[in-house]
Amino acid sequence: MKTPVSRYRSLLSAYLRPQSKRVAALGVLLVSTLVLELANPWILREFIDRAMLGAPLSSLTVLALIFLGVALATQLVSVGETYVAENVGLTATNQLRSDLTLHALRLDPSFHSTHTPGELIERVDGDVATMGNFFSRFIVQILGNAILLAGVLALMYTIDWRVGLAMTFFVVVTILLVNKTRDLAVPYWKSARQASADLFGFLEERLSGTEDIRSSGAIEYTMNRLHERSRSLLSKERRASIIGSTSGSVTSVVFTVGTAIALGLGVTLFQAGAITLGTVYLIFSYTESLRRPIDQITRQLQDLQQAGASINRVGDLLAVKSTILDGNGPDLPTGPLSMEFDRVSFGYNAEEPVLQDISFALKPGETLGVLGRTGSGKTTMTRLLFRLYDPQQGQVRLGGVDLRDTRLNSIRQHVGMVTQSIHLFHASLRDNLTFFDRTIPDGRIIEVLDDLGLGDWYRSLPKGLDTKLAPGGNTLSAGQGQLVAFARVFLIGPGLVILDEASSRLDPATERHVERAVDKLLQERTAIVIAHRLATVQRADFILIMEDGRIVEYGARRQLLDNTVSRFSALMRTGMMAEVLA
């Protein structure tokens, strides 16, 4: 397990190294700002001393103009430093968001079943946003301000060794106190970020179920739970903020004492004739200059307290590894795929098997109809074919290739599925049909829509393929949404098609309309048809009936139909499909 320091180092290395030129430019700009800030007090000291000695106005005017020029240059360089720092921070955080999103998408379904989308949004967006300063300024400002600190102390020694020694002691004490208090708030900020994630998760879950909440009269209950989570977030963030401000309070008190010491030394040395009045000002100015690097370092450490909690949470997410590892063997062959389950056993929980010793095989181009009660393992079987899970025992092979050996992308390209539940994006019709694959030509998309009987509907849309669908596809009927899902599979052109009662949501007229398209889809493809109605499996070559995770009947559809003692024959005679679903 990585330590916090190693996590900080690995994140900085991963997301700042590609921006090495920008980071170097940021360092140059910061050092330039520091040098210019150190120069102006020297100019003012010279101005004061010359004025006290009655120097001519022209000489003082030159010094005043130099002072203004340096001040203007300081502001310009500071603007440039801010611009570059923001670019560095935003580039790093955007890349981290992208990496986290991709990582989350690749995690096992079991992970997503225990983490709400709202919680993941808070990790990917909220936590990463908190880390913006960590990427853009943390290292550069820590190093830059450390250089400024050393430079100011060195200049103090050139003024008088006693002043330098006193200020060195003051800085050491201040840094020790800051270091002592810097990590106090990290666990509190981590708790606050988790409370924020819980709130986002609650909001996402409840807002996605507004109709059920309103119809069941659960609005008051929902609002009470929302208030509870909001109060928890307020309490934890307030506690973290109060504890996190300890370092700043300590620094303010110590600097008040430091300023008093500096003025006392300056006055004493001036009265002794050891320094000029301008040098007294210089001592005071440089003491104040010490405030900035220590304040900046303190602020960076306070920001690190908040970022540290987010870094830990992001690190925890990145540390979660998928159990489904990409294979490096051969890709699946093109065309219709053979399929084989070889003594496959699987359970989402190892102690509770869902599939037990499943064995059957299909030749390329054959269609299998699968029947069984709810919970018998039909859908689990299809999840293994997509390799969302790996079996605990046995092998699943497509085209003679063990799915654990081939690349995941190859499986996605050669296996297509249509289910009862269709997810539509708040995006254009084109993107919903192609899953954002711009290599598919519009002509091919329109051809598929015509084949499915969606041509007239498509042509009635105000912007055709560019028409943006409502979130969740709310503007589409159930039949239209189902046909869009069929079109997706047509456009992929897979060698294996899985239909999980894909026409169950269609009205009879629409279902009859889509039957022709289904027949075309299954031509020269291997298919699995999970059915809840007997009519759905009439096109199947083989029938498989499951019960409690086991195959209780398997064979050619015609042979089972002719066998008067087979379960399938009995179902067809009685038409009692409810027995399968009960």
Side-chain angles (χ1 to χ4, degrees):
M1 182 176 180
K2 287 187 174 182
T3 64
V5 173
S6 64
R7 277 183 172 175
Y8 299 168
R9 188 187 304 116
S10 62
L11 280 173
L12 285 170
S13 175
Y15 294 98
L16 293 187
R17 183 178 294 144
Q19 303 186 75
S20 56
K21 292 182 179 179
R22 283 184 183 174
V23 174
L26 182 59
V28 171
L29 289 169
L30 181 59
V31 171
S32 300
T33 303
L34 300 179
V35 170
L36 291 170
E37 288 183 354
L38 288 176
N40 257 346
W42 280 90
I43 298 171
L44 277 177
R45 181 187 75 164
E46 191 67 18
F47 184 93
I48 293 171
D49 287 344
R50 289 190 184 187
M52 292 294 293
L53 294 173
L57 181 61
S58 59
S59 175
L60 297 177
T61 301
V62 171
L63 286 173
L65 291 174
I66 294 174
F67 176 85
L68 291 175
V70 171
L72 178 60
T74 302
Q75 293 303 312
L76 291 175
V77 173
S78 179
V79 169
E81 182 264 334
T82 301
Y83 175 81
V84 175
E86 289 301 317
N87 268 281
V88 169
L90 289 173
T91 300
T93 52
N94 285 341
Q95 184 59 51
L96 179 56
R97 283 190 183 93
S98 177
D99 290 346
L100 280 174
T101 302
L102 180 60
H103 179 73
L105 288 173
R106 288 174 170 171
L107 291 177
D108 297 343
S110 57
F111 172 85
H112 291 281
S113 67
T114 56
H115 294 79
T116 65
E119 180 182 353
L120 293 178
I121 289 171
E122 173 63 9
R123 294 275 184 100
V124 172
D125 185 61
D127 284 330
V128 172
T130 305
M131 295 163 59
N133 182 68
F134 171 73
F135 284 120
S136 63
R137 286 191 169 90
F138 178 73
I139 291 296
V140 173
Q141 288 209 351
I142 288 289
L143 292 177
N145 284 293
I147 293 171
L148 176 60
L149 206 59
V152 170
L153 290 177
L155 290 172
M156 289 284 201
Y157 277 101
T158 65
I159 295 171
D160 189 282
W161 67 269
R162 288 164 291 188
V163 175
L165 187 62
M167 289 300 100
T168 300
F169 177 76
F170 158 70
V171 167
V172 169
V173 171
T174 303
I175 290 176
L176 288 175
L177 287 172
V178 169
N179 187 63
K180 190 75 174 177
T181 58
R182 68 177 181 177
D183 293 327
L184 291 177
V186 170
Y188 297 95
W189 279 116
K190 185 174 183 179
S191 177
R193 299 309 305 174
Q194 183 59 49
S196 178
D198 292 342
L199 176 61
F200 272 88
F202 176 85
L203 285 172
E204 184 276 333
E205 188 177 57
R206 297 310 186 274
L207 290 175
S208 64
T210 52
E211 291 186 3
D212 290 337
I213 290 173
R214 292 170 64 185
S215 62
S216 61
I219 292 179
E220 183 177 355
Y221 173 83
T222 300
M223 293 306 298
N224 287 336
R225 300 291 81 76
L226 174 63
H227 293 154
E228 287 178 2
R229 284 165 173 76
S230 298
R231 283 194 296 270
S232 174
L233 177 59
L234 172 62
S235 173
K236 290 179 179 179
E237 285 200 340
R238 181 169 54 199
R239 186 182 302 115
S241 297
I242 291 173
I243 295 174
S245 66
T246 302
S247 295
S249 301
V250 169
T251 304
S252 297
V253 171
V254 172
F255 259 106
T256 302
V257 175
T259 302
I261 293 172
L263 287 175
L265 280 172
V267 170
T268 301
L269 292 173
F270 176 73
Q271 289 177 342
I275 60 174
T276 64
L277 182 61
T279 304
V280 174
Y281 165 77
L282 189 62
I283 293 172
F284 171 78
S285 179
Y286 278 163
T287 303
E288 288 296 302
S289 295
L290 289 173
R291 179 186 293 271
R292 172 184 166 172
I294 295 179
D295 271 348
Q296 290 277 7
I297 292 172
T298 303
R299 188 175 298 112
Q300 290 298 323
L301 293 176
Q302 286 177 335
D303 287 342
L304 185 61
Q305 290 177 347
Q306 296 185 48
S310 294
I311 289 169
N312 287 334
R313 284 162 47 79
V314 166
D316 290 342
L317 177 56
L318 290 173
V320 178
K321 301 300 181 183
S322 174
T323 59
I324 307 300
L325 302 178
D326 210 0
N328 54 11
D331 286 344
L332 298 181
T334 58
L337 297 170
S338 63
M339 180 181 63
E340 182 179 3
F341 275 63
D342 184 5
R343 304 184 67 83
V344 169
S345 295
F346 170 78
Y348 300 104
N349 184 329
E351 289 74 29
E352 299 177 8
V354 177
L355 299 177
Q356 302 181 61
D357 200 28
I358 300 294
S359 293
F360 67 91
L362 288 179
K363 294 178 181 178
E366 293 180 338
T367 298
L368 174 69
V370 182
L371 305 174
R373 294 186 176 91
T374 299
S376 61
K378 304 186 302 295
T379 299
T380 298
M381 192 166 62
T382 65
R383 289 173 177 170
L384 296 182
L385 285 168
F386 273 100
R387 211 185 163 213
L388 297 177
Y389 300 91
D390 282 335
Q392 276 96 29
Q393 296 179 12
Q395 292 182 327
V396 179
R397 290 187 283 268
L398 289 178
V401 179
D402 189 326
L403 293 186
R404 284 172 290 205
D405 294 335
T406 191
R407 295 180 304 113
L408 292 171
N409 280 344
S410 181
I411 298 174
R412 308 295 182 256
Q413 292 165 4
H414 290 83
V415 182
M417 184 173 185
V418 181
T419 66
Q420 301 175 49
S421 178
I422 307 303
H423 184 85
L424 296 173
F425 301 97
H426 183 40
S428 70
L429 174 61
R430 178 187 294 103
D431 288 337
N432 270 282
L433 289 168
T434 65
F435 274 112
F436 308 93
D437 182 358
R438 297 304 173 88
T439 64
I440 300 177
D442 288 357
R444 172 60 180 155
I445 298 174
I446 295 170
E447 177 186 343
V448 168
L449 292 176
D450 285 332
D451 283 344
L452 290 173
L454 288 173
D456 292 339
W457 169 73
Y458 147 73
R459 292 179 180 86
S460 70
L461 298 175
K463 296 183 179 179
L465 293 177
D466 293 318
T467 302
K468 185 167 287 188
L469 302 185
N474 291 331
T475 56
L476 274 65
S477 68
Q480 288 170 334
Q482 205 78 36
L483 289 171
V484 166
F486 270 93
R488 287 173 172 173
V489 178
F490 269 98
L491 291 170
I492 295 172
L496 171 65
V497 175
I498 302 171
L499 304 181
D500 189 354
E501 193 54 82
S503 61
S504 63
R505 297 176 61 199
L506 304 182
D507 57 80
T510 306
E511 184 176 0
R512 287 193 299 271
H513 187 70
V514 82
E515 284 298 312
R516 178 175 60 87
V518 172
D519 287 335
K520 183 176 180 180
L521 177 63
L522 299 187
Q523 286 178 7
E524 299 183 0
R525 289 187 175 93
T526 308
I528 295 180
V529 180
I530 298 177
H532 295 164
R533 288 180 292 180
L534 289 172
T536 310
V537 296
Q538 292 308 302
R539 58 170 56 86
D541 300 307
F542 294 86
I543 297 295
L544 185 151
I545 299 178
M546 299 191 67
E547 187 174 297
D548 296 329
R550 296 182 182 275
I551 297 176
V552 294
E553 187 166 274
Y554 173 68
R557 181 179 64 85
R558 176 53 59 185
Q559 291 179 356
L560 292 178
L561 190 62
D562 293 340
N563 184 353
T564 57
V565 298
S566 73
R567 296 194 182 200
F568 180 67
S569 177
L571 288 172
M572 291 299 295
R573 286 196 306 272
T574 61
M576 294 294 290
M577 195 58 183
E579 292 180 6
V580 177
L581 296 174

